[in-house]
Amino acid sequence: MKSIILASAAALAFTASPAAAQDAVAVDAAGDVYVLTDDQQMMYDGWPTDRRTTYDAWPPEVQEYYWTLDDDQTTAWWVLNDDQRVRVYEMTPEQRTMAWQQINAQLNAQNNASATGTTARTTASATGSASPRFVRNEVIQTTPADYQATSNGDDLPICKPDQQDGCINGWEKNKTGNRPLEYWPGRPASEIDEPLPATRPDTDDDM
């Protein structure tokens, strides 16, 4: 951002005629350094070394002008380079007002664009890295009213023709009733009318 300044403001800064000689420039006893107030000195002392070095290199009248800037102008001032700062100082008050409006407008537009890009990247990152959320949803199966749970199949009654729960196949319990087939006959039982052997016929032949 150091090299960025609105084109029209830059053109104005480098083509404007210098203002009339500045009056009442505050200097120290040697006549060449602007004397800071106590509050200004406190702010100066809080700056990083590179900023203090930059400030110390300005002409005394530019140092004095710096302390007349408002908050927005102060922020923008540190984005300009030294040559641009001096050019702004050398403008007439009317030219300065126009230049600051243009400079601040561009900086605000850049800040808004940067904030929008940061928000978009943050949202994309949060969406892409979000862990799946597992929700536990237990299902309880309803059992018949006369169902009795037992620890082993010996205590279960033999299933009736229309019963499926809470009972056991007769063949499994005491080898009575219909014996379950030990193989797949090739078709569903509902499509087979004739009785089938419990084991494959070829297995019986071998035995």
Side-chain angles (χ1 to χ4, degrees):
M1 292 180 63
K2 275 285 185 182
S3 61
I4 300 175
I5 184 172
L6 191 65
S8 56
L12 181 60
F14 285 94
T15 59
S17 300
Q22 304 296 311
D23 296 330
V25 175
V27 294
D28 63 6
D32 58 0
V33 177
Y34 173 71
V35 179
L36 300 177
T37 66
D38 291 342
D39 290 341
Q40 292 169 355
Q41 185 67 50
M42 184 177 300
M43 294 177 61
Y44 174 89
D45 292 340
W47 290 346
T49 302
D50 59 338
R51 178 166 291 194
R52 291 199 302 267
T53 301
T54 300
Y55 174 89
D56 293 342
W58 298 338
E61 59 273 17
V62 176
Q63 294 178 357
E64 180 184 13
Y65 173 65
Y66 170 80
W67 298 106
T68 68
L69 303 177
D70 60 28
D71 291 343
D72 290 338
Q73 292 171 344
T74 299
T75 300
W77 181 265
W78 290 107
V79 177
L80 306 178
N81 59 44
D82 278 345
D83 190 53
Q84 292 168 339
R85 293 168 183 143
V86 172
R87 294 290 184 175
V88 171
Y89 165 76
E90 292 176 343
M91 294 178 183
T92 64
E94 293 77 12
Q95 292 169 338
R96 286 177 184 170
T97 299
M98 183 180 300
W100 279 123
Q101 290 175 348
Q102 295 170 338
I103 293 171
N104 287 332
Q106 181 177 356
L107 291 179
N108 289 336
Q110 291 173 345
N111 291 337
N112 291 338
S114 178
T116 301
T118 300
T119 301
R121 290 192 297 271
T122 301
T123 302
S125 177
T127 302
S129 62
S131 301
R133 179 173 179 265
F134 297 96
V135 179
R136 183 176 180 179
N137 188 13
E138 297 180 349
V139 178
I140 300 177
Q141 182 178 1
T142 303
T143 56
D146 57 351
Y147 175 79
Q148 294 180 351
T150 58
S151 59
N152 56 71
D154 294 339
D155 296 331
L156 290 174
I158 296 176
C159 294
K160 298 178 181 179
D162 58 349
Q163 186 179 5
Q164 295 182 350
D165 297 318
C167 61
I168 190 172
N169 182 277
W171 186 266
E172 293 294 334
K173 185 170 184 177
N174 52 24
K175 306 301 182 183
T176 61
N178 295 326
R179 180 180 179 181
L181 298 181
E182 297 179 358
Y183 63 95
W184 167 244
R187 292 178 298 166
S190 59
E191 298 178 3
I192 302 175
D193 296 330
E194 69 278 6
L196 296 174
T199 59
R200 290 182 182 275
D202 55 349
T203 301
D204 290 342
D205 293 339
D206 296 340
M207 295 176 64

